[in-house]
Amino acid sequence: MTNRPDADLKAVERAWALVSAALATFDDDAARGLSALPGWTRGHVVTHMARSADGDRGCAEHATRGQVGVKYPGGSEARAAGIEAGAPRHASELVADLAVAQRRLMATWQTLPDAAWPALADTPAGMRTIADTVLARRRELLVHLVDLDVGVEPSDLPADYLVADADWIAENRADWSLPTS
């Protein structure tokens, strides 16, 4: 029996395809434009998504050594400083950074031994298993795709995601207008 969350990994790949497509025409003006997150430009959001991928990868790598990884080793202050430092880069740098971070994360997850998936990671949301970080990554990609404010609305997100994450969305994105069924 495998601990590998194959269906969830595929869901992250599909979420990444949506983000990647949305950023295909991203330019410097778009990068400097305001996102839907107060006080953040789109450059902030893209940088955050890249550093989040790096943090998830670091946690997975720690799990292979039997250690509990910390998603943001420098804490919230270092996380915020890294986002601020990365946000003003050119759009091409932002998009390339995110794409590399996502590829590295997926490569790490694809080679993770079965025993590492139930290992714990210390995340801002609390302790969670490495397997749980996969669905958290899907959320990260899809929610921040909307936050980028590049024309993707909550109702454009995959229906299976909206159903699976309905409680989180209601609690954290109550302002989202979603279709009722």
Side-chain angles (χ1 to χ4, degrees):
M1 182 171 139
T2 181
N3 293 316
R4 181 176 309 281
D6 290 321
D8 296 340
L9 290 166
K10 287 185 186 342
V12 170
E13 289 173 351
R14 289 188 302 274
W16 169 246
L18 295 172
V19 171
S20 184
L23 294 177
T25 59
F26 203 61
D27 61 20
D28 289 344
D29 287 339
R32 286 164 182 62
L34 292 177
S35 75
L37 294 175
W40 273 19
T41 65
R42 292 181 187 104
H44 286 92
V45 176
V46 173
T47 300
H48 165 63
M49 290 193 301
R51 298 297 69 84
S52 177
D54 290 343
D56 286 338
R57 180 174 49 87
C59 288
E61 290 170 348
H62 276 82
T64 66
R65 299 187 296 271
Q67 301 168 338
V68 174
V70 176
K71 184 165 181 168
Y72 298 111
S76 61
E77 289 161 5
R79 173 189 167 271
I83 292 168
E84 283 299 322
R89 294 174 293 167
H90 290 285
S92 60
E93 294 173 81
L94 290 162
V95 173
D97 178 33
L98 176 55
V100 167
Q102 183 66 27
R103 273 195 307 274
R104 288 179 177 163
L105 172 59
M106 294 305 294
T108 298
W109 279 343
Q110 292 300 332
T111 60
L112 211 57
D114 285 347
W117 290 104
L120 293 176
D122 187 355
T123 76
M127 298 298 279
R128 57 173 47 145
T129 67
I130 299 301
D132 289 339
T133 66
V134 177
L135 285 178
R137 181 64 182 168
R138 181 188 191 198
R139 173 187 297 144
E140 183 94 11
L141 290 169
L142 295 174
V143 169
H144 289 321
L145 175 57
V146 173
D147 292 337
L148 282 169
D149 199 21
V150 293
V152 178
E153 299 296 326
S155 59
D156 297 326
L157 298 180
D160 68 311
Y161 166 72
L162 295 173
V163 169
D165 223 9
D167 291 341
W168 186 93
I169 292 167
E171 185 175 322
N172 294 281
R173 294 294 195 267
D175 58 329
W176 278 13
S177 175
L178 295 173
T180 57
S181 51

